[in-house]
Amino acid sequence: MKRTIFYLVLILAFATTGIVQTSAQKEVKYGQYNGLPRQDQAMKKWRENRFGQFIHWGLYAIPGGVWEGKTYSYAAEFLKSSAKISDETWDALANDFSIEKYDPKEWAKIAKNMGVKYVTITTKHHEGFCLWPSEYTEFDIENTPYKKDLLREFVDAYTAAGIDVNFYYSVLDWHHPDWRYDIENTEDEVAFERLKEYTQNQLVELVTRYPEVKGLWFDGTWDKSWKKNGLFSYELEKMLKDISPGLVVNSRMRADEYGARHFDSNGILMGDYESGYERRLPDPNNKEVLTRDWECCMTIPENQWGYHKDWTISHVKSPLELIEMLVQCTSQNGNFLLNFGPMGNGDIRKEEREVAKEIGAWMKQNSEAIYGCGPAGLVKQDWGFYTHNDKTGKVFMTVFNNPVSGKYRVRLNKGQTLQKASFINNQKEALKIEQISSTDYFVVPEKVNSQQPFVIILEILNKESGKFHQKALT
Ligand code: JFZ
């Protein structure tokens, strides 16, 4: 009896604190309004692209993390704040933005050879400097020695190379007098209203001036001021999509009316894809990410987005590490956006050229395992990652870890058989297969290249339908 009373009291206590009601849905007015995942052509293209290039370029590329002889190890695009540089001094950098080595056609060629299908460029980062001639500010490319619209040249060059162009835009703006971290009084409120107008004007300007743009990548949206303006970001997303149908927008743009970001207060993703994987990847066994679109953005050094002169201050990822990340993202339904920070003179540093070249060489052989691919719905094995092309039904195993036994385990789902395994670059020749049980096999190649990740294509047949493996079977 005592125990029953004890439990009753416990239940009552939880009920009144609301803990037992965590599953209750809140009414969210400014949350997601599209059905997700989006299945229109523009979104399908975004998803099939899988591999993109991020470009962080602005005035911060000129000092490159070094100020008055001192090297600042924190992210170079934050130098104004790390080195406590005054607005005046920073803004004067625009006079030195002559970018005499800027050659967008060459940039596009480097990107194309690396194998990316899309690019996302910072039109305005936190410093507030605009890479396009904006009607709404003087702090832009027009007022530099370069004068010309570098963004137009960029969009043209990348578009001609068949690479989809997306714009990054930071709402947070250190240059704009009306930007506020929080809204604490009427003065802040009035100022932030002007900032909202500026933001909207510039974004409308961008999607109108550059109708080729495929997507917007918002940043600097974590401040209280923005979080208090859920309705505004909700309406802005709609407005921009009306002007530019098909536009793909990241989850970082929005906050709902309760200030929840990326996911609304009911846990529903906002925007079209999740953009929270920043310099990190999901756990390889995370199944939740398979249900939605997402993108991981990655730096080559530890944490440098803008150009930093000294890359010896942190670990610099090798092309092999980056290829592994790209394959992992694909295997878990995500895109991989690899960052480049061009130099203040417009050149691409040699380390980045080298990375691009090596990834490109790998992609030339193996990109069939990336483009248009996604999760395979098979149990992950230690040798690496499976990817799968829904259209062809092909399954790819990309090997990063060679087993000492020389045997590569494959575990199928019930009702499937492994018909054939072959190297991606020699599909006529079948590799030896040993069946271990009704679901498990070993693929046993005679010889492997242990210097590079390699791809084996599997033909998996579903016994009942006679069709090749489909992801939906899982
Ligand atoms: C932001 C920027 O501050 C940075 O300069 C760069 O542009 C990057 C792509 O985005 O940095 C972030 C944003 C979000 C997180 C971390 C750094 N985050 O969610 O952990």
Side-chain angles (χ1 to χ4, degrees), residues 54 56 77-78 125-126 168 217 219 222 252 278 297 305:
F54 213 167
H56 275 71
E77 72 280 6
F78 274 80
H125 202 263
H126 310 337
Y168 163 110
W217 207 105
D219 196 14
W222 48 74
R252 217 181 267 210
E278 156 126 12
C297 55
W305 298 92

Side-chain angles (χ1 to χ4, degrees), residues 195-219:
L195 194 275
K196 277 156 62 181
E197 199 184 317
Y198 177 71
T199 305
Q200 179 169 315
N201 283 339
Q202 285 208 316
L203 288 161
V204 170
E205 184 180 42
L206 280 170
V207 296
T208 322
R209 268 186 79 100
Y210 311 93
E212 300 93 332
V213 66
K214 299 289 187 290
L216 293 176
W217 207 105
F218 283 85
D219 196 14

Side-chain angles (χ1 to χ4, degrees), residues 328-436:
Q328 185 188 334
C329 287
T330 307
S331 81
Q332 291 183 285
N333 202 37
N335 284 8
F336 187 63
L337 187 65
L338 181 61
N339 185 68
F340 282 61
M343 300 164 74
N345 64 6
D347 207 356
I348 307 276
R349 70 191 306 151
K350 69 172 193 330
E351 295 95 326
E352 288 179 348
R353 287 170 182 268
E354 196 52 36
V355 165
K357 213 170 99 194
E358 291 196 30
I359 296 180
W362 188 86
M363 287 294 279
K364 270 186 198 83
Q365 301 286 322
N366 303 296
S367 64
E368 199 191 340
I370 305 291
Y371 304 139
C373 287
L378 297 169
V379 182
K380 185 185 163 353
Q381 303 295 327
D382 290 341
W383 42 254
F385 301 98
Y386 289 111
T387 54
H388 174 253
N389 188 313
D390 254 345
K391 284 188 193 143
T392 62
K394 280 185 190 171
V395 173
F396 305 90
M397 27 188 299
T398 306
V399 173
F400 293 93
N401 311 303
N402 286 303
V404 179
S405 65
K407 298 182 177 195
Y408 299 76
R409 186 182 289 269
V410 169
R411 175 166 296 165
L412 303 185
N413 300 312
K414 283 205 183 77
Q416 300 184 321
T417 52
L418 180 56
Q419 299 283 105
K420 189 186 161 193
S422 62
F423 285 125
I424 199 168
N425 54 6
N426 187 7
Q427 296 182 36
K428 291 213 182 83
E429 204 172 302
L431 299 174
K432 196 173 134 200
I433 294 172
E434 286 173 14
Q435 184 159 10
I436 309 163

